[in-house]
Amino acid sequence: MKKIISTDKAPAAIGPYSQAIEVNGMIYTSGVIPVNPATGEIPEGIAAQADQAIGNLAALLGEAGTSVENVIKTTVFIKEMDDFAKVNEVYAKYFTENCPARSCVEVARLPKDVLIEIEAIAIK
């Protein structure tokens, strides 16, 4: 049985999908972008956007009853691979020990023309 996870502490879904789904104690998130859920604003620059996106992800995981410490896999989508080092600096603030497996992919375009999007799989 699947459980839909939704929170106003992360950007709302902008299409026919759920923010996250729980199945058998596993949490699967949709891609999370760096939109401030309270204001709808998108910060400037890759470091600020990475911080907002991962913070939004952390809030979504919290709503699901877990945390970034329980993430086992992330996929990071970035607009410019040249930003990889800056993204890593921010990522390392959230994922400090027993880091999850990760893929990082450069993409041509992301929703709302943001610079980064991140999705995760976590255990509860």
Side-chain angles (χ1 to χ4, degrees):
M1 185 167 142
K2 69 180 181 179
K3 176 183 175 187
I4 305 300
I5 309 295
S6 181
T7 182
D8 60 3
K9 296 176 185 168
I14 53 176
Y17 61 89
S18 299
Q19 288 174 299
I21 304 275
E22 178 183 349
V23 178
N24 298 325
M26 299 291 295
I27 308 299
Y28 302 87
T29 75
S30 291
V32 180
I33 60 174
V35 173
N36 181 317
T39 66
E41 294 178 4
I42 298 168
E44 292 290 324
I46 188 60
Q49 286 195 23
D51 190 56
Q52 182 71 56
I54 300 171
N56 290 344
L57 178 67
L60 181 55
L61 292 168
E63 184 68 26
T66 191
S67 66
V68 293
E69 289 83 17
N70 291 322
V71 172
I72 57 173
K73 171 75 168 82
T74 62
T75 304
V76 180
F77 304 94
I78 57 178
K79 190 167 181 183
E80 297 286 338
M81 195 56 76
D82 290 342
D83 289 334
F84 186 76
K86 291 177 185 174
V87 170
N88 268 344
E89 286 179 30
V90 176
Y91 190 94
K93 293 177 187 176
Y94 289 88
F95 299 99
T96 58
E97 293 184 20
N98 302 314
C99 296
R102 179 181 78 181
S103 300
C104 185
V105 181
E106 180 182 74
V107 296
R109 194 165 180 205
L110 291 164
K112 298 188 178 277
D113 290 318
V114 299
L115 303 175
I116 186 170
E117 180 175 5
I118 184 168
E119 63 183 29
I121 300 171
I123 56 175
K124 192 161 179 186

